[in-house]
C-alpha cells in the first residue's frame, strides 16, 4: 500500500483478513500509510470482499497470500483455497475497469503448480503473461483487460508465457473442487496404504485374540468380534480427515459427506448381518 502511494495512486482499498497485521502496520510504518486519506482499510476475507464490493478498480494486486512450507497431501483446505479458483479469480477480473490489470505474486518450487496458475488465468482471458525469477520460487502473473501491460524487464529473468502455452492443460481448481495444491482428483497413495495396513492389523489382532473357525462361525464370541470389527470400521469412516481426503475426488463437500455417511451405514449393516 505504501509503495502504491509513493508511485501516485489516487485511492487504495487495502483488504486484510487479520486485523493484527493492520494494527502492526499502523504501529511501525514511519510513513503512516494506513492513516492516509487516500487509503481505505477493509478487514475481510479477499473472496468475501470481491463478492460484496460494488467498486471497480484499475489495478488489483494479490501478494504472497499463503506459505508453501507446510503443503503436503494432508493439506486439503488452506487460506487461499477459495480465492485461487476459476470463479474466485474471475470475480477479481470482473472488478477491473477497462484496461485494468490483475497482478498476482506466487511462490512455489513445483513446476505444475506454476503452470496451473497460468491455466486458470488463461481460461479467464488469453491476454495473460507469466514471469519467473531464476533460482527462486518467485512467479508473477499479469492479466490485462483489453491491452498488453508492459512489465519492467529488470523485474524478472524469464518470460514463461510461451512455454506454458505449449504444455498440456492441467485440472483447474473451481469452487466445486477448490484444491490448488492437488495435481489430480485422486486419493493419495500414502492414505490408501494406511487404510490397507490398518485393515490387516485389525484382522490379525482379531485372529490372535479369538481365531474364527468355519465350524464356530456362529459362536457367540465370533459374533462379537465380527460386529466389533465392522462397527470400528464404520466409526473410522466418520473421521473428518477421511471426509477431507475424499473431497478432491468427488468434488463438493456435500457429496463427500454423503458418501462417507452411506459408507458408515453400509459398514454397520454388514457387521450386523455377519454377526446375526
Amino acid at each position: 500500500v505504501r509503495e502504491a502511494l509513493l508511485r501516485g495512486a489516487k485511492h487504495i482499498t487495502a483488504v486484510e483478513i487479520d486485523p493484527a497485521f493492520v494494527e502492526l502496520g499502523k504501529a511501525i510504518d514511519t510513513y503512516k500509510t494506513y492513516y492516509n486519506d487516500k487509503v481505505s482499510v477493509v478487514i475481510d476475507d479477499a473472496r468475501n470482499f470481491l463478492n460484496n464490493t460494488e467498486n471497480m478498480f484499475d489495478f488489483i494486486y494479490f501478494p504472497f497470500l499463503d506459505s508453501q512450507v507446510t503443503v503436503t497431501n494432508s493439506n486439503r483446505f488452506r487460506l487461499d483455497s477459495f480465492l485461487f479458483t476459476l470463479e474466485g479469480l474471475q470475480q477479481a477480473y470482473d472488478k477491473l475497469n477497462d484496461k485494468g490489470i490483475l497482478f498476482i505474486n506466487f511462490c512455489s518450487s513445483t513446476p505444475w503448480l506454476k503452470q496451473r496458475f497460468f491455466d486458470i488465468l488463461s481460461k479467464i482471458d488469453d491476454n495473460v503473461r507469466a514471469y519467473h525469477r531464476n533460482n527462486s520460487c518467485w512467479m508473477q502473473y499479469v492479466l490485462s483487460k483489453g491491452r498488453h501491460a508492459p512489465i519492467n524487464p529488470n523485474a524478472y529473468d524469464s518470460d514463461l508465457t510461451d512455454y506454458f502455452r505449449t504444455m498440456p492443460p492441467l485440472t483447474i481448481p473451481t469452487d466445486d473442487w477448490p484444491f490448488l495444491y492437488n495435481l489430480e482428483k485422486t486419493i493419495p497413495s500414502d492414505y490408501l496404504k494406511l487404510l490397507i495396513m490398518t485393515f490387516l492389523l485389525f484382522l490379525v489382532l482379531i485372529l490372535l485374540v479369538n481365531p474364527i473357525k468355519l465350524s464356530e462361525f456362529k459362536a457367540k464370541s465370533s459374533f462379537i468380534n465380527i460386529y466389533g470389527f465392522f462397527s470400528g470400521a464404520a466409526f473410522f469412516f466418520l473421521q473428518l480427515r477421511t471426509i477431507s481426503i475424499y473431497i478432491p475426488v468427488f468434488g463438493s463437500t456435500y457429496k463427500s459427506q454423503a458418501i462417507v455417511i452411506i459408507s458408515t451405514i453400509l459398514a454397520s449393516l454388514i457387521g450386523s448381518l455377519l454377526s446375526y
Side-chain angles (χ1 to χ4, degrees):
V1 177
R2 180 185 64 203
E3 295 303 315
L5 281 176
L6 293 177
R7 283 160 175 75
K10 296 179 180 179
H11 185 269
I12 302 170
T13 300
V15 181
E16 169 57 51
I17 193 173
D18 191 343
F21 280 102
V22 175
E23 294 304 317
L24 187 62
K26 289 180 177 179
I28 68 174
D29 179 25
T30 56
Y31 287 83
K32 303 297 180 182
T33 302
Y34 288 143
Y35 294 100
N36 194 298
D37 292 338
K38 296 180 180 180
V39 177
S40 298
V41 179
V42 179
I43 305 300
D44 198 357
D45 169 71
R47 181 72 186 271
N48 191 59
F49 171 79
L50 290 172
N51 282 335
N52 295 302
T53 185
E54 296 181 359
N55 294 331
M56 302 294 289
F57 303 92
D58 295 321
F59 187 87
I60 295 178
Y61 171 55
F62 290 164
F64 300 104
L65 296 183
D66 205 358
S67 171
Q68 306 298 305
V69 177
T70 59
V71 174
T72 68
N73 285 336
S74 300
N75 295 100
R76 297 303 186 184
F77 292 104
R78 300 176 61 81
L79 289 177
D80 52 2
S81 291
F82 284 94
L83 181 60
F84 291 142
T85 66
L86 178 62
E87 293 86 350
L89 293 177
Q90 179 71 58
Q91 280 185 314
Y93 180 79
D94 291 341
K95 295 299 179 179
L96 290 174
N97 291 316
D98 291 341
K99 297 186 178 181
I101 300 173
L102 174 61
F103 190 94
I104 298 175
N105 269 354
F106 190 74
C107 186
S108 175
S109 58
T110 306
W112 63 261
L113 193 52
K114 296 177 181 180
Q115 183 192 337
R116 171 166 280 171
F117 260 95
F118 182 85
D119 290 348
I120 299 173
L121 295 172
S122 294
K123 281 285 186 180
I124 299 173
D125 192 317
D126 193 52
N127 196 20
V128 57
R129 309 293 300 183
Y131 304 99
H132 178 248
R133 184 173 295 164
N134 294 342
N135 301 319
S136 74
C137 65
W138 178 91
M139 288 292 300
Q140 284 184 334
Y141 302 89
V142 182
L143 184 61
S144 307
K145 203 169 189 178
R147 64 169 176 145
H148 174 67
I151 301 297
N152 183 353
N154 296 324
Y156 64 90
D157 296 309
S158 304
D159 185 341
L160 299 182
T161 304
D162 293 335
Y163 169 75
F164 285 145
R165 292 191 193 280
T166 62
M167 299 298 292
L170 300 174
T171 302
I172 292 179
T174 64
D175 285 355
D176 285 334
W177 192 78
F179 300 98
L180 178 70
Y181 304 98
N182 290 89
L183 178 58
E184 297 175 345
K185 298 180 180 181
T186 57
I187 298 176
S189 59
D190 58 346
Y191 184 72
L192 292 177
K193 293 176 182 177
L194 176 63
L195 285 180
I196 295 173
M197 292 176 62
T198 304
F199 177 84
L200 294 177
L201 176 61
F202 281 132
L203 186 60
V204 170
L205 289 176
I206 287 177
L207 293 176
L208 289 176
V209 173
N210 187 11
I212 301 175
K213 299 179 181 179
L214 184 60
S215 59
E216 301 174 353
F217 185 75
K218 292 187 177 181
K220 184 177 180 179
S221 59
S222 297
F223 297 167
I224 297 174
N225 283 333
I226 294 176
Y227 180 76
F229 175 79
F230 282 96
S231 294
F235 284 105
F236 182 76
F237 279 120
L238 282 176
Q239 293 187 38
L240 179 62
R241 172 172 168 78
T242 303
I243 296 176
S244 67
I245 285 292
Y246 291 153
I247 290 175
V249 180
F250 299 109
S252 55
T253 55
Y254 70 89
K255 292 181 182 178
S256 298
Q257 290 172 353
I259 290 172
V260 171
I261 292 172
I262 292 172
S263 301
T264 301
I265 295 173
L266 289 177
S268 181
L269 177 61
I270 292 173
S272 300
L273 292 176
L274 292 179
S275 61
Y276 177 68

